[in-house]
Amino acid sequence: MASSLLSIILLGVSGLVLFLYAVSRLALALRHVAGERVKSVLDRFTKTVPMAILTGTVVTTLLDSSSVVIILAIALVSAGALPFRNSLGVVLGANIGTTISSQLFAFDLGQYAVVAMLPGLLLLTLSKKRQGRTIGRALFCFGLLFFSLYLIGEAVSPLKDYRGVQAWLLKLESPVRGAGAGALLTLIIQSSSATLGMVIKLAAKGLLTLPAGIAVMLGAELGTCSDTLLATIGRGRAALKTGLFHLSFNLISITIGLLLIAPFTALVVRLAGHADVARQIAHAHVLFNVAGVLLFAPLLPLCQRMLDAWLPEEEPVKSLVVQAAQPA
């Protein structure tokens, strides 16, 4: 039994490593394909709150990473290329865009991964142009993403025979415990997508219930704030305010979600109909994030004023020197 459990762990960890590699390389390849156009889009189409939310949603869907989009917004705010107030809508939109991944993960596409991996590999190795190789890398990593999830699913399937594992997973139905596990796991592996992918695969194999899956999903939303907060270090107060808004948005949304987890779960079951648990968790992810955005969108001007009052912009040193040099 020990050797069998070790094999499950090794295979599962191998799938997780492949997933994290695919996510990072896919985001990098997509950023290379998009190039400076992403920065131009964020600058041009974020003048109003609805447009900023829509832009954040679309860009996150294309880049397949809310963290990348929010970190990019923080960098642009720090450089003065994106006003702080415009970045708030982008943050909200990124939280909607990231739900597209969970919808895709709920499909069992792992066995068809070669459809994307093979042409991607051919482009990567045979293309003489950098753009072609970059597109090939993106295709290959997209296929690898689903293959790695398939690998994780196959690895955890035998865990149904281990009562100790089943008992521990059932404990995740406790909202606080489940959210804590989701936040800790996301903090360790630095990918909420990986956490959600594993949750969905565990649910698909009958190892995780809907309440436990929703609790872990809520925790993953909090864990993803760590890398965006790190991105604000040394970037000035405007960038820090964007990172703090992301943290505050997630903290408040998650707190409300945990307090209302029972009626929220019942609503998901009612809306999802006869869908399996994996699909229900994916729907819950969309419903929770969209509800959070609808709640916060009208409050963005208030959030901006509060953050501006708490962290006012520093007066440029040059102007202080000029004032000091002027005669009284």
Side-chain angles (χ1 to χ4, degrees), residues 34 175 200 229:
I200 288 171
L229 283 176

Side-chain angles (χ1 to χ4, degrees), residues 32-314:
H32 282 164
V33 171
E36 293 296 319
R37 282 172 289 184
V38 171
K39 295 181 181 179
S40 175
V41 166
L42 288 178
D43 182 45
R44 290 180 58 193
F45 299 103
T46 58
K47 307 301 183 185
T48 64
V49 170
M51 283 302 299
I53 293 173
L54 179 61
T55 301
T57 301
V58 172
V59 173
T60 301
T61 302
L62 294 176
L63 295 185
D64 195 33
S65 175
S66 61
S67 294
V68 167
V69 174
I70 295 172
I71 289 171
L72 181 58
I74 287 171
L76 291 173
V77 169
S78 176
L82 182 68
F84 161 62
R85 64 180 181 276
N86 294 13
S87 70
L88 301 184
V90 175
V91 170
L92 294 184
N95 277 269
I96 296 178
T98 192
T99 62
I100 305 300
S101 296
S102 58
Q103 289 292 323
L104 290 174
F105 295 159
F107 290 105
D108 191 14
L109 300 177
Q111 55 190 325
Y112 307 111
V114 69
V115 175
M117 292 175 70
L118 182 58
L121 182 62
L122 291 175
L123 271 174
L124 185 59
T125 54
L126 300 179
S127 180
K128 295 181 179 179
K129 295 183 178 180
R130 182 182 177 184
Q131 187 83 347
R133 293 194 299 271
T134 303
I135 294 173
R137 185 178 292 108
L139 272 174
F140 180 80
C141 290
F142 185 74
L144 185 61
L145 201 68
F146 290 97
F147 176 72
S148 60
L149 284 176
Y150 175 78
L151 201 61
I152 292 172
E154 292 302 303
V156 301
S157 185
L159 290 177
K160 288 184 288 188
D161 300 327
Y162 293 86
R163 292 184 179 179
V165 174
Q166 287 181 330
W168 183 81
L169 290 173
L170 281 174
K171 290 180 180 178
L172 297 180
E173 289 187 359
S174 165
V176 175
R177 186 172 294 176
L184 181 61
L185 181 59
T186 305
L187 189 64
I188 292 171
I189 63 179
Q190 289 293 296
S191 174
S192 60
S193 294
T195 302
L196 283 167
M198 287 189 288
V199 165
I200 288 171
K201 285 305 171 184
L202 285 170
K205 297 298 180 180
L207 288 164
L208 208 61
T209 63
L210 177 60
I214 290 175
V216 177
M217 178 266 290
L218 293 176
E221 293 289 326
L222 179 60
T224 194
C225 294
S226 60
D227 49 1
T228 54
L229 283 176
L230 287 173
T232 65
I233 295 176
R235 288 190 179 272
R237 290 190 177 184
L240 177 60
K241 287 186 289 188
T242 301
L244 288 175
F245 171 75
H246 182 222
L247 176 64
S248 302
F249 165 70
N250 280 355
L251 273 175
I252 295 172
S253 299
I254 291 164
T255 301
I256 295 173
L258 289 174
L259 291 174
L260 301 176
I261 194 167
F264 178 71
T265 303
L267 177 63
V268 171
V269 172
R270 178 174 295 183
L271 294 178
H274 299 290
D276 57 23
V277 178
R279 177 61 59 187
Q280 288 176 346
I281 293 173
H283 291 338
H285 189 209
V286 175
L287 185 61
F288 173 76
N289 282 20
V290 170
V293 169
L294 291 177
L295 174 66
F296 262 79
L299 303 175
L300 285 188
L302 175 62
C303 294
Q304 180 193 343
R305 288 195 298 270
M306 290 176 65
L307 286 167
D308 283 338
W310 186 35
L311 290 171
E313 290 297 317
E314 295 176 317

